[in-house]
Amino acid sequence: MPRPAIDLFHKTFGTTPRSAASAPGRVNLIGEHTDYNGGPVLPIAIAERTTVAAGPCANGDAGVLEAISTRDRKVVRVKWQEELPKGWGAYVAGVLRELWALEVTMPNASVRVAVASNVPIGAGLSSSAALTVAAARALGALAPGGAALQPRQLAGVAYRAEHDQVGVGCGTMDQTIAALARRDHALLFEAASLETRQIPFRARLLLVDSGTRHDLRNSQLAKRRDECDAAVRRLKVELPELVWLASWPAEWLARLKRALKEPIRSRAVHVVSETARTRFAAQLLEQGRLKQFGALLYESHESCRRLYDCSSPELDTIVATAKRAGALGARLTGAGWGGAAIVLVNKTDTKTIPAIQHAYERAYGRSAAISEVQASAGAHTERI
Ligand code: GLA
C-alpha cells in the first residue's frame, strides 16, 4: 500500500521522499459521543489506510508546504504558518503547526508531501485521523529527533491539528486508535484518564456503508457538544466537582432527568448510559460473551437514534434488518447522521448480508456496500 504515495511523490516532485508512514481508519464498536464528554470508547482499526510520503522542499522558499494526493492530483502550496489551505491540505498544515509547537519541526521548514488513501471519506471511518496520524509520523520523522515521537504523542499532535487548527469539534478517539491500534484487538480508551486496555477481538464484523455522507465541519457535532456543555453547567449546581458529563453517576439518572430540560436531558441520558454500557461491553468482550455484547450494540444504537438524535433512516433500516435476520448486534458507528453501520454476526451466519441487501435496495433503490472488517494495526513507518 505505500507505493502509490511514494510513486506520486516521485512523479510530482522529481525526488525520492525521505520518510513515509501510514495509519488506519477505524470503526467504533461502542461508546459513541462519549469521548469529548470524558467517557470510554471501544474502537478497532480497519484494514483501509492512508499513507503519507514526505521530504524536504529544495527550492529555497522558507516555511512552505507543497502537498498532493492521489484523489485530486493537484499540488496545494501554502506558507503553513500563515494560512491553512482549503480541503484536506489544512489537516497536513495543522500537523506541521503542532509539530512546530512541540519544537519537532523548525518554523521555517519547507516540506513536500504526497498522500494516498483507500479510507472512504465522510463514511464515519475517520479518514481525517488516518491522514493526520500518518502525516504526524512521516513529517515528524523528517526532523532531527522527530522519529522518536511515541504513539500517544502522535495521537496528541493529530488531535490538536484537527481540533485546534482545522476547528473540527471531534474528540480524541479517532487519533488514539489510529496511533495505538493492535491487530486482532479492540482498544478500550478512557478519554478522561487516558487509560487504555487492548482487548482481543476476532469476531466476525460486517461494515455496511449507507452511502450517505457527512462533513463534520458543518455537521451537528458542534451543536451536540454545546448541548453537552450546557448539561455540565447545569449539573454542576447539583454536583460542583463535576468536570465531565460522563462522570455523572449512572445510579443518579433520575436526579439528572429532574435537573435538565429537553433536548439537553436526552443528550445527557445518552452520554451517561452509553458510558456505563461501554464499560460493561468491554468486560463482556473480554469474557468472550459475544451474544450479550451484541445486545448492548443494539441498545447503543437505540440510544443514539432516540436520545442523541444522530442516526439516519438508512442506518436505522440496516440495524432493524440485521436484528430481524438474527445478527448478534448492530449499530451506527462514528458520529452518525449518515456514514456506516457495523453488524456483529456468527461465523456461520448466511442470512444477514442478503437480508440487508434486499431491504436496502427495496427502501432506497440502490445497494449498500457490505464488507468484512478485520481489526488491524495502527500507525507505522513504511519502507521507501
Ligand atoms: C467523531 C469524532 C470522535 C467521536 C465520534 C462520536 O467521529 O471525531 O472523536 O466523538 O464522532 O463518537
Side-chain angles (χ1 to χ4, degrees):
M1 239 301 281
R3 285 284 16 128
I6 293 167
D7 290 348
L8 180 65
F9 189 100
H10 204 260
K11 212 166 127 210
T12 310
F13 304 120
T15 53
T16 308
R18 184 126 2 120
S19 68
S22 70
R26 63 98 188 92
V27 298
N28 189 19
L29 298 178
I30 192 165
E32 220 63 84
H33 297 285
T34 43
D35 59 355
Y36 53 84
N37 287 300
V41 291
L42 189 64
I44 60 174
I46 57 176
E48 285 73 16
R49 303 178 77 83
T50 296
T51 304
V52 172
C57 199
N59 65 8
D61 278 355
V64 170
L65 163 68
E66 288 182 352
I68 186 166
S69 124
T70 49
R71 282 202 168 118
D72 53 19
R73 291 184 183 272
K74 280 194 220 100
V75 179
V76 174
R77 191 169 198 278
V78 286
K79 293 252 187 188
W80 55 268
Q81 284 169 292
E82 290 160 28
E83 52 170 327
L84 286 184
K86 287 205 179 63
W88 63 270
Y91 293 82
V92 181
V95 165
L96 277 170
R97 289 179 180 187
E98 291 301 329
L99 288 171
W100 168 43
L102 287 184
E103 298 182 347
V104 171
T105 295
M106 302 298 283
N108 54 359
S110 287
V111 296
R112 290 166 158 165
V113 305
V115 179
S117 179
N118 60 358
V119 184
I121 293 175
L125 302 177
S126 190
S127 53
S128 53
L131 173 61
T132 49
V133 171
R137 181 111 194 203
L139 289 167
L142 285 185
L149 282 180
Q150 296 301 306
R152 279 176 187 268
Q153 289 175 300
L154 289 179
V157 165
Y159 168 72
R160 291 188 296 276
E162 180 158 358
H163 185 271
D164 300 0
Q165 302 293 343
V166 183
V168 179
C170 60
T172 47
M173 161 168 73
D174 305 344
Q175 300 79 12
T176 305
I177 184 69
L180 271 68
R182 261 170 62 185
R183 199 191 148 88
D184 292 331
H185 286 77
L187 182 76
L188 178 67
F189 170 55
E190 289 283 351
S193 67
L194 306 184
E195 267 172 61
T196 54
R197 196 157 86 235
Q198 300 278 359
I199 301 177
F201 183 80
R202 290 194 185 82
R204 187 166 163 227
L205 190 73
L206 308 175
L207 180 68
V208 187
D209 186 349
S210 73
T212 52
R213 293 290 179 256
H214 64 209
D215 179 354
L216 283 189
R217 280 172 298 183
N218 309 318
S219 83
Q220 302 270 46
L221 190 55
K223 194 166 157 212
R224 289 290 175 278
R225 289 196 73 146
D226 289 346
E227 291 169 341
C228 292
D229 290 347
V232 173
R233 277 197 302 277
R234 172 63 189 84
L235 291 173
K236 265 181 185 293
V237 176
E238 312 273 326
L239 190 64
E241 64 269 35
L242 190 74
V243 174
W244 300 101
L245 182 52
S247 310
W248 181 268
E251 327 66 89
W252 289 2
L253 266 187
R255 189 165 161 194
L256 176 146
K257 286 182 187 167
R258 274 199 304 278
L260 300 174
K261 293 199 185 68
E262 289 299 349
I264 310 281
R265 180 192 297 144
S266 291
R267 313 298 186 236
V269 171
H270 166 76
V271 170
V272 173
S273 54
E274 182 80 348
T275 292
R277 195 159 35 235
T278 303
R279 291 184 183 137
F280 185 35
Q283 281 176 18
L284 292 171
L285 188 61
E286 225 157 18
Q287 296 160 0
R289 292 160 68 189
L290 273 193
K291 197 158 167 236
Q292 293 87 337
F293 176 77
L296 295 185
L297 301 192
Y298 285 127
E299 272 184 27
S300 169
H301 182 79
E302 204 43 27
S303 182
C304 285
R305 183 182 76 76
R306 223 164 42 80
L307 301 174
Y308 216 72
D309 195 13
C310 62
S311 189
S312 71
E314 290 87 350
L315 293 167
D316 294 342
T317 301
I318 295 164
V319 172
T321 310
K323 197 166 190 180
R324 274 201 301 278
L328 295 171
R331 59 182 294 279
L332 65 85
T333 186
W337 297 289
I342 49 168
V343 182
L344 186 72
V345 286
N346 277 317
K347 298 255 155 117
T348 53
D349 182 303
T350 52
K351 288 199 206 125
T352 304
I353 293 180
I356 294 173
Q357 263 154 355
H358 183 72
Y360 206 82
E361 261 164 42
R362 211 179 43 198
Y364 303 107
R366 57 192 160 87
S367 52
I370 306 182
S371 53
E372 298 219 0
V373 186
Q374 202 81 53
S376 303
H380 52 69
T381 46
E382 298 283 358
R383 282 237 310 270
I384 294 166

